[in-house]
Structures are given as C-alpha cells and as structure tokens.
Amino acid sequence: IGGNDRYETAAKIAEDRNGANINVVLASGQDFPDALSSGYLANQLNGASILLTKQASLPAVTTEAIRNLGVRTVYLIGGTGAISAGVEAQLRATTAYLPQGQITLGSAKLQVIRLGGANRFVTNRIVNQRAAAVSVNATAVGRTQITFGQSSKLTALVATGNDFADALAAGPATAGSRLAGFGNLPLILTRPTTLDPNASSQLNSFGIQQAVILGLTGAVSAGVESSIAA
C-alpha cells in the first residue's frame, strides 16, 4: 500500500484497513514525536485510523480520507507548532459525511479536539490520559502476561521520546491482547537518561504494575529503568 507521499500513503492505509470510523487521529507528517503518541488513542477509539497533515496546510488526500471514512470527530495531536490554528479552523468548517463520502450529515461540521502540550512528553501524557478516558473497552489500561503462567498485570510500554525507531516498532503492541478483553496498552515516552516527570506521572496515575522498556540502555538508560522499578 503506497501513495505519492506519506500523506497519501496514510490515507490509503486508512481506507484499506477500515472502511468507516467516526473518529480519526491526525498527527504531523513533518516530525515524529506526536505521531508516536497516537497509537494508544487510536486503539482506544475502536481502531481509529491515524492520518497525517502538514503544519500549515491540510493535504487534499487527508481531507478526502476524512470524508470517505465518515469521520465526525478529529483528534489533533500536538500544539499549533505541530498543527497550525489554520488547519484546525479548516477542519472545524468542514462538513461531516456518512461513510463513502456521498451523503452529508445535514449541516453538521467536524468536531475537532486538540490534545497538545508544551513539549512531546507533556503531549504524550495528555493524549494518553484522554485515551484512557474515552476507552471503548472494559478497562482503560490493558493487562498482559509477559511470561507463560504469569498473572496478567496492568502494563505500559516505555520508550525514548528523543528518537522514533523503538516507539514506532512498538506501535502495533499498543493494541494489547484482544484475547480475554485484556485491553490496549499505553505507550509512554521518556527522556533517555532521566525518567521524565510526565512519564512518572502516568506510571502512577494509571496504576501500572508492569513496564515493558523498549530498546537497550542506549535508548533508555539503566538509570531510567531503576527509576521505573522504584
């Protein structure tokens, strides 16, 4: 599945993987941090698609995908430095359609919800908190069994927010276990050498019992691991 650029590729994936969803998560296609925080939210919204936008303009292929998917609510990830106020205003003025994009929902416009903070770590916390609050599952934070026979525990994935590779690779894992209704797993971003306060706050507020750290100590240091264990 591929398009002429990242925006068209994201739109093609969205239209291929689920024909309709009233929610979509929209992240910057020009930088990676906010998109890394999108997976858990998308899963909590019953498998909503993640689309991409430019900071100052909304690509036509993204607008078309929103229309064809029958989206009613768009979650903007990041502040205006990531997605401008102009893009937000354009979305708010966009008519909502039924799936396949042929019939409008009367005069209804898209609902737009922005989730963003002062930096990527604050944004990550805000997005994850909203994701937990809008859960369509029985539990806001999922449980998993890392070893055979182990009791399931409330689990979070932890990755560096300074680079994208490990968090990107773990994106599908935010879906958690579909078996036994174990729920979706939040992906928490931290600084590589110190546990960011926003990450620590999430581990506590979500009641995390088990953290899966992604990458070796060059990505997330032994010091951060010790802080999480404590």
Side-chain angles (χ1 to χ4, degrees), residues 76-171:
L76 298 187
I77 309 303
T80 54
I83 301 175
S84 70
V87 169
E88 180 177 354
Q90 180 181 342
L91 286 166
R92 291 186 185 279
T94 299
T95 300
Y97 281 78
L98 292 173
Q100 281 78 57
Q102 300 300 314
I103 303 173
T104 66
L105 279 171
S107 60
K109 305 297 183 183
L110 294 174
Q111 179 184 23
V112 180
I113 300 171
R114 183 185 289 273
L115 303 173
N119 59 48
R120 65 192 65 184
F121 304 105
V122 179
T123 293
N124 177 253
R125 174 176 56 79
I126 291 171
V127 172
N128 285 346
Q129 287 173 335
R130 182 58 178 252
V134 299
S135 173
V136 297
N137 300 301
T139 56
V141 176
R143 295 176 176 270
T144 191
Q145 298 164 305
I146 298 300
T147 58
F148 181 75
Q150 170 201 323
S151 298
S152 63
K153 296 180 179 180
L154 292 171
T155 303
L157 309 171
V158 180
T160 177
N162 283 23
D163 208 348
F164 63 85
D166 296 330
L168 179 62

Side-chain angles (χ1 to χ4, degrees), residues 3 10 18 26 32 62 64 67 111-112 119 122 128 145 220:
N18 69 11
L26 188 64
F32 66 85
T62 302
E64 183 180 3
R67 172 173 170 165
Q111 179 184 23
V112 180
N119 59 48
V122 179
N128 285 346
Q145 298 164 305
V220 178

Side-chain angles (χ1 to χ4, degrees), residues 4-20:
N4 292 320
D5 56 25
R6 63 194 66 185
Y7 307 100
E8 187 175 356
T9 295
K12 285 179 176 291
I13 291 171
E15 293 180 0
D16 182 83
R17 65 178 291 272
N18 69 11

